[in-house]
Amino acid sequence: MDNPAHPPHRTWQHGGVTAATHSSLFPQVPESADAVLDGLDPEQREVATALHGPVCVLAGAGTGKTRAITHRIAYGVRAGILPPAGVLAVTFTNRAAGEMRGRLRQLGAGGVQARTFHSAALRQLQYFWPKAVGGEMPRLLDRKIQLVAEAAARCRIRLDRNELRDVTSEIEWAKVTQTVPGDYPAAVAKSSRDAPRDPAEISQVYGTYEQLKRDRSAMDFEDVLLLTVGILQDRQDIADLVRRQYQHFVVDEYQDVSPLQQRLLELWLGGRESLCVVGDASQTIYSFTGATPDHLLNFRTRHPGATVVKLVRDYRSTPQVVHLANGLLGQARGRAAEHRLELVSQRDPGPEPAYTEYTDEPSEAEGTARRIRDLIAAGVPAGEIAVLYRVNAQSEVYEQALADAGVPYQLRGAERFFERQEVREAGVALRGAARAGSNDSLLDDAGDLPSQVRAVLSTKGWTTEPPAGSGAVRDRWESLAALVRLAEDFARARPSATLGDLVAEIDERAAAQHAPTVQGVTLASLHSAKGLEWDAVFLVGLTEGMMPITYAKTDEQIEEERRLLYVGVTRARLHLSLSWALSRSPGGRASRRPSRFLNGLRPGSAAAGTRGTGGGGGVERGAGRRKRRGPVLCRVCGKTLTDAGEMKLMRCEDCPSDMDEALYERLREWRSERAKELGQPAYCVFTDKTLMAIAEAVPDTEGELAGISGVGGRKLERFGADVLAICAGEEPEAGDEED
């Protein structure tokens, strides 16, 4: 049986390089250890040569962290300091692990294991199960949601599709935080986590789900980590075997480590300090899954003698994009913000980020599609453009707009490239042609390798020109065109390569899930865009309630939303567009306002931390109450107002509102409670229009509050302190009041 600490594995020779470095997709292996260090900047070189003791690399977005740590491993291996079979590099996605293996192969460090936590743990679990437990290992569930649904049904708890997904996520969170079913309600309360259902119900479903797994001898992905941890804790002999195999560990994206993953890492280390971690607390965006930056931020406390290197030279983005990213984090609060990295762009200046306000969501999508079409016409490849949004449900309107504009697109998170039917069929055809060689009539007059590939794929639907429109036919063509481009790149790097060589390359890539770039605009959520980059990025739907998302309530949750937007901004190399819509649908009430995170950053907006509209065109307010003389004019369009409600708002009903919707809802909740206490109808406290006016003005002082129509002297005295506290984001003081 294979040793799980160093199991047989396949490597792919080339890959992990973005289109920005297209010409170097297949570089030559460095001739010596010192040659591995060529081209590194001073800080990257410091990382690469720090081979002893604990090392912590704080790496900002676009600073070449993967380059630094892969060169570190390769330098150590080539210099004879690190045995390749004794190194385990751990990251969080198969794509990132595949990219790391490819880069190490290019640097002459084949044999180093680069895996996800789950993949590494599963290999060890499979190997040691007969010795540690005996019998057949439980089967691994591909998806746990069906079993969670059955558990809920057995508990007689009805869950709709969305609730089922959320409860499944809660079970995953509980397991990675090492919380058993009985402790779940207390853990939720302690973490201030918003449970999607009654915690007692989720605890019941969780317990039943665990029992169903035991009854059916099944395990989920979290169990892979839990069982491996259990074996390493209970069996010293097995732990010793693993530690003898692996003497050196590298952990990428360390800010995303969960408590369970950290425990597994500690067991692998066994008290040793031959560890290098890489991360950026400002890119912590997965806390809902149990990830925490605390392990990264506390690294120097746990390892007082650690070497700490900061990477701040940003090679990805222009100074304009970097300036916005730094400004966004400059407003952040909390512990992660205290450790933020001030990036320094290494690129030539580019265009300023564009800020665009639209009347409604369809207009925003159509405007975005037009600008994308213009970029493509100007020479930006469609595959180097992305539209990023907060939730996946936002994609549909952009899919339609891009299709209407004749722009190809791909949804990130859809079917994997090498699992697509047309790609599998193309692989069979290319493999058959390679075996036939000169006996294949298709290849007789084809000429060079790319021409041979075009000839073979033409039988599967590839043409020199793409088909019109979008849909399945276009998707199929895009997949085949990606294989043609791969052949062209491969032939440039290896002029003597044969069709058989290319087929071997494709097989290696398929094994590593390292797909070639499909030339379509990427549509993706901000979370799924982590780790990727494009020449042009469109950040859309940036309104209050969406960014930050409406269910982000606590300061910690709000700050994570800010970091999510930061991740989106730092995906752009050159062109960056930020947009929002004032209403959901055409003709709808224009009540939305731009994200608070853009305050002080977009032109004409108030600086962060100040009160007011947060945008250009806001009315200037004095400190005291003034009598109005003459007609009351709309502060947006200037029209004379005659309706009492419009006069109270100081704008036409149809003119755009800059109301803080979250503040308005907090005021409504407070009004409802006060009305109950006083035994009066809610409108006797404040009318809806007055609350809207307060939410638009966001007053700081009693004078500003008194200046709002509907706030008289008596109401100011009775309710003013409460209202001002709510406007300041604070809780009003509790206290009984006699009428």
Side-chain angles (χ1 to χ4, degrees), residues 503-527:
V503 168
E505 171 71 15
I506 291 173
D507 288 344
E508 298 284 4
R509 283 172 171 259
Q513 283 301 325
H514 174 57
T517 303
V518 175
Q519 284 302 316
V521 173
T522 299
L523 297 179
S525 71
L526 286 162
H527 280 101

Side-chain angles (χ1 to χ4, degrees), residues 477-522:
W477 184 90
E478 291 287 354
S479 296
L480 297 177
L483 291 174
V484 171
R485 286 190 297 275
L486 176 62
E488 293 167 348
D489 292 336
F490 192 67
R492 277 195 295 270
R494 294 176 57 185
S496 61
T498 65
L499 188 57
D501 294 331
L502 177 65
V503 168
E505 171 71 15
I506 291 173
D507 288 344
E508 298 284 4
R509 283 172 171 259
Q513 283 301 325
H514 174 57
T517 303
V518 175
Q519 284 302 316
V521 173
T522 299

Side-chain angles (χ1 to χ4, degrees), residues 369-451:
R370 282 195 302 272
R371 295 187 61 190
I372 288 173
R373 191 172 56 191
D374 291 343
L375 281 174
I376 294 173
V380 179
E384 287 300 333
I385 303 173
V387 178
L388 307 181
Y389 33 75
R390 177 61 180 83
V391 296
N392 286 317
Q394 293 172 272
S395 75
E396 185 178 1
V397 66
Y398 291 93
E399 293 179 55
Q400 186 63 54
L402 290 172
D404 290 346
V407 175
Y409 67 86
Q410 56 175 334
L411 277 170
R412 178 155 179 81
E415 187 179 27
R416 288 179 173 180
F417 181 84
F418 288 106
E419 293 172 2
R420 298 175 189 173
Q421 182 177 350
E422 64 269 22
V423 175
R424 292 200 303 268
E425 291 174 355
V428 171
L430 290 170
R431 199 170 291 109
R435 281 198 301 267
S438 58
N439 296 322
D440 193 321
S441 59
L442 271 174
L443 306 183
D444 285 346
D445 302 317
D448 60 9
L449 174 60
S451 298

Side-chain angles (χ1 to χ4, degrees), residues 49-93:
T49 54
L51 297 175
H52 301 286
V55 178
C56 179
V57 183
L58 302 176
T63 57
K65 68 178 179 65
T66 305
R67 177 179 175 82
I69 59 174
T70 52
H71 281 69
R72 178 182 186 272
I73 295 170
Y75 177 70
V77 169
R78 299 289 297 276
I81 299 172
L82 301 178
V87 179
L88 178 60
V90 188
T91 188
F92 282 80
T93 66

Side-chain angles (χ1 to χ4, degrees), residues 535-574:
D535 283 346
V537 169
F538 290 79
L539 302 176
V540 299
L542 301 181
T543 59
E544 285 291 307
M546 192 59 74
M547 178 53 67
I549 199 77
T550 186
Y551 52 76
K553 307 277 188 195
T554 67
D555 290 344
E556 291 81 4
Q557 291 167 340
I558 295 293
E559 287 307 313
E560 181 151 339
E561 292 288 298
R562 187 194 306 278
R563 294 194 296 270
L564 186 58
L565 181 57
Y566 171 79
V567 166
V569 167
T570 54
R571 299 310 94 193
R573 298 191 192 106
L574 180 61

Side-chain angles (χ1 to χ4, degrees), residues 659-675 682 685-699 705 708 719-728 730 732:
M659 181 179 71
D660 184 333
E661 294 184 357
L663 173 58
Y664 177 65
E665 290 302 321
R666 291 196 298 273
L667 288 168
R668 281 173 55 87
E669 292 174 5
W670 164 82
R671 182 184 66 176
S672 176
E673 293 172 359
R674 295 296 282 132
V685 179
F686 287 120
T687 65
D688 284 346
K689 282 289 195 298
T690 300
L691 290 187
M692 288 175 65
I694 293 171
E696 290 186 357
V698 197
L705 180 59
I708 296 173
F719 307 126
D722 283 2
V723 170
L724 289 173
I726 295 169
C727 288
E730 302 166 356

